[in-house]
Structures are given as C-alpha cells and as structure tokens.
Amino acid sequence: MENVLRPLIVIGGSVVLTVVVGWLADVLLRRADQRHHDTPLWGLLRRCRVPLHLTLCTALLRGSYDQADLTHRHSTAVGQILSLVLIGSAAWLVIRISAAVVESSYARYAAAHRDPARVRRVRTQVTLIQRVVAAIVGTVAVGAMLLTFPAMKAAGTSLLASAGIIGIVAGVAAQSTLGNLFAGLQIAFGDMVRIGDTVVVDGEWGTVEEITLTFLAVRTWDERRITMPVSYFTSKPFENWSRGGAQMTGTVFFHLDHSAPVHQMRDKLRDILRDCAAWDGRDWGLAVTDTTPTTMQVRALVTAKDADDIWTVRVTVREQLIQWLTAHHPYALPRVTTAFAEPSPDARPSDNGHGPRSASVRAPRTGRG
C-alpha cells in the first residue's frame, strides 16, 4: 500500500502545489495590472504562466523524486530527464521575464516621447537587447544541460587544456558570423539605421522592417523583402531618408516649349498643392532650371512629411499639371515642328529665282519630369 500511496502523494502533491502557486501568482499580477494601468509590466508578466508552471512542477518532482521510490532501475535516467527539463523551462521563464521587462520599458518610453525618430531608435535597441539576452540564456542553458552528463564532466579538464586551439579554430570559422553580430550591436547603439526608417540600398527603396543580430530585412514599396547582412550597413554607403527627420523635399521636372506660360503654371501649382492632402505646406516653388535650342526645363519643388507622402505629391503634381497644359495650353507641350529656313542675305539666287531652301526639324520630347 505504501508503494502505491507514496508516488501518488509525491506526484499529486507536486501538481497541486504547482497549480495553487501559479493561480496565486496570476491573481496577484491581475490585481497589480488593474491598479496600475500605466504600467504594462504586470500584464506582460502574466504571459509567463506556462513556463512558470512547468518550472515549478519540474523542480518539485526533481526534488522529491528520490522519496517517491518509483523504480530503482531507471532512477538515474528519470532524474537526468527531469534535470534537463528543469534547466530548459527555467531558461524559457527567464527569457519571458526579460522580454516582459524590456517591452514594458519600451511601451512607457513610447508613451512619454512623441519624437518618432527617438521611438524607432529605442525600438531597434530593445529588439536587439531581447535577442542578445535570449542568445546568452540559451547558450548558458545548453552548457548547463551538457554538464549534467557525467561524460562531459570527465572531459572538462581536457576541454580546458585545448581551449586555446579550439578558440582559434572557432574564431576563424565564425569570423563572418561574429562580424555580423558586432555589426548588429553597432547598428542598434550607433543609431545608424532603425526599424521603420526609409532607406535606399543597391538602388532599391524601402522601409526597414526587421533588424536581428545577423541580418536586416527591408520591405520595398511593392511588398518585396530584401534580406541583407547587417555588416553591409557598416561597410558600404546607403541612403537613410529618415535620418535627422522624416521631412523630405521632392522635385518634378517638365520639358516644355519656350512659349510655355511659366507664371500661370506657378499659380496652377499653388492651387494643386492646396488641394493635395499629402503636401505639408512647408515650401513650394516653380522655376526654369535649364534650356536647350528646342525646349526648356521647368522644375516644380514640393515638400511632404515623409517619403510616402512626397511620392504622392510628386505624382499628383506631374499628372495634374500635364492635364492642365494639355487642356488649356497645348502649344506649351513639346512637339515636332517643320519649317523652311530663312535664306541668308548673301545667298545667291538659284536658276528658278528662289533661294536655297532647307528644313529645320525639332526632335520630339516627352513631358516626363
């Protein structure tokens, strides 16, 4: 009878105690979350219930397994398994708790600061901090699991003796990986590029969507993802349109005839921008920036609060100005003109009494700016 009751008491007691402690912890966290709405930490800590239950139950079973006296033949193997599960669940719990603390700190910072650039910078840093903590805890947990095996303990002396050679070999083999790791930390705390920044890399325009310790993902305007090693951003130049502020200035170029009504185009540009919601109202302008024997180049200057809006303003101005010129001033658009050239004063008359005649052809131009 005792052989049956003892295992039931040990296992059942461990499960019941785990459920009770987990329930009490959840109740306390729920009440703390209700009292402190401005602190999201308590609500985030409630996500740790599963690893907490697993850690408590495994720890109780590991501590009371010898008193259960279940089986003598497999006691060592069962104890080894419980130790491995305990280490893994404890590492899981530590990672969840650290993630909750970091996310809570970021949420409070984002609520207190309205500067989008600073918020994106902190978001990038806390994301990499979470990954670093997870990597460190995971490495320590794996090392602790290996040390639970007797063979690994016996090999400890020889491993320490050959640590120098192994370190050199590992350093050479993992040179690129370690380079990306340190590059990721440099990007996070050097404020070179942040999550949400608008960048141009290798001629591709997009938004930084994810930054890890080894790679960086850029989401392009057509929903493609470009994955690049983080070392690229520390070794090669790239454009960061969000650096120092998201406000941008854009230009729209038109190639028009010399007779184009520039003053009326300037008034029309002002009317177009007033009706364009993407224009931020900071600045605008229209000027003739270049001329050729057949056309002149007109530049419209516009501003917007970010890269997405500047694209909208540019295409709106280009479309509506071309439509307005076509409807009201078609002579201002580039066209092919053929005419007889005027004879020079010293030109000799031909046999038929007419001077030499030639044609001047104007090459066609498009209205794209």
Side-chain angles (χ1 to χ4, degrees), residues 45-114:
L45 286 176
R46 294 186 62 193
R47 302 178 184 177
C48 306
R49 287 174 292 181
V50 176
L52 176 62
H53 291 169
L54 184 59
T55 303
L56 286 176
C57 186
T58 308
L60 292 174
L61 289 176
R62 184 66 184 87
S64 59
Y65 174 74
D66 294 334
Q67 285 74 24
D69 197 15
L70 293 175
T71 173
H72 298 283
R73 181 179 301 178
H74 304 289
S75 60
T76 303
V78 174
Q80 183 77 20
I81 293 174
L82 289 176
S83 298
L84 295 177
V85 175
L86 178 59
I87 295 173
S89 59
W92 186 16
L93 179 61
V94 171
I95 292 175
R96 281 291 186 89
I97 293 176
S98 63
V101 173
V102 172
E103 290 180 11
S104 174
S105 301
Y106 167 72
R108 296 182 62 181
Y109 184 89
H113 297 79
R114 299 300 180 185

Side-chain angles (χ1 to χ4, degrees), residues 40-297:
L41 175 62
W42 311 113
L44 294 173
L45 286 176
R46 294 186 62 193
R47 302 178 184 177
C48 306
R49 287 174 292 181
V50 176
L52 176 62
H53 291 169
L54 184 59
T55 303
L56 286 176
C57 186
T58 308
L60 292 174
L61 289 176
R62 184 66 184 87
S64 59
Y65 174 74
D66 294 334
Q67 285 74 24
D69 197 15
L70 293 175
T71 173
H72 298 283
R73 181 179 301 178
H74 304 289
S75 60
T76 303
V78 174
Q80 183 77 20
I81 293 174
L82 289 176
S83 298
L84 295 177
V85 175
L86 178 59
I87 295 173
S89 59
W92 186 16
L93 179 61
V94 171
I95 292 175
R96 281 291 186 89
I97 293 176
S98 63
V101 173
V102 172
E103 290 180 11
S104 174
S105 301
Y106 167 72
R108 296 182 62 181
Y109 184 89
H113 297 79
R114 299 300 180 185
D115 187 1
R118 296 181 63 182
V119 172
R120 290 199 306 270
R121 176 184 178 183
V122 174
R123 180 185 176 187
T124 302
Q125 292 176 352
V126 299
T127 300
L128 289 181
I129 288 175
Q130 290 182 8
R131 297 182 185 276
V132 170
V133 171
I136 294 175
V137 173
T139 303
V140 173
V142 171
M145 289 180 180
L146 293 177
L147 290 178
T148 58
F149 295 93
M152 295 300 298
K153 292 181 180 179
T157 304
S158 59
L159 288 175
L160 291 176
S162 59
I165 300 176
I166 294 177
I168 295 175
V169 174
V172 174
Q175 182 177 2
S176 60
T177 303
L178 293 176
N180 284 328
L181 175 62
F182 288 111
L185 296 176
Q186 184 178 353
I187 286 177
F189 296 97
D191 198 25
M192 299 174 59
V193 61
R194 299 153 297 194
I195 296 176
D197 281 2
T198 301
V199 297
V200 178
V201 290
D202 285 344
E204 295 283 353
W205 173 85
T207 304
V208 178
E209 188 176 50
E210 183 180 7
I211 299 178
T212 68
L213 295 178
T214 56
F215 69 90
L216 186 147
V218 177
R219 177 174 56 85
T220 62
W221 64 273
D222 54 355
E223 302 299 330
R224 290 181 292 116
R225 266 66 176 180
I226 301 177
T227 302
M228 310 183 70
V230 292
S231 58
Y232 174 92
F233 294 87
T234 59
S235 59
K236 296 183 180 180
F238 64 95
E239 295 183 29
N240 188 344
W241 292 1
S242 302
R243 179 76 176 182
Q247 297 176 343
M248 297 194 67
T249 299
T251 56
V252 182
F253 289 96
F254 300 91
H255 293 276
L256 304 175
D257 190 83
H258 291 121
S259 60
V262 177
H263 294 289
Q264 297 182 37
M265 288 182 62
R266 191 174 290 114
D267 296 336
K268 182 60 179 179
L269 174 62
R270 181 178 62 249
D271 296 338
I272 292 174
L273 292 177
R274 287 175 178 175
D275 297 334
C276 183
W279 181 55
D280 63 355
R282 287 189 297 118
D283 194 11
W284 69 278
L286 189 139
V288 178
T289 57
D290 197 5
T291 182
T292 68
T294 57
T295 61
M296 66 178 179
Q297 180 178 267

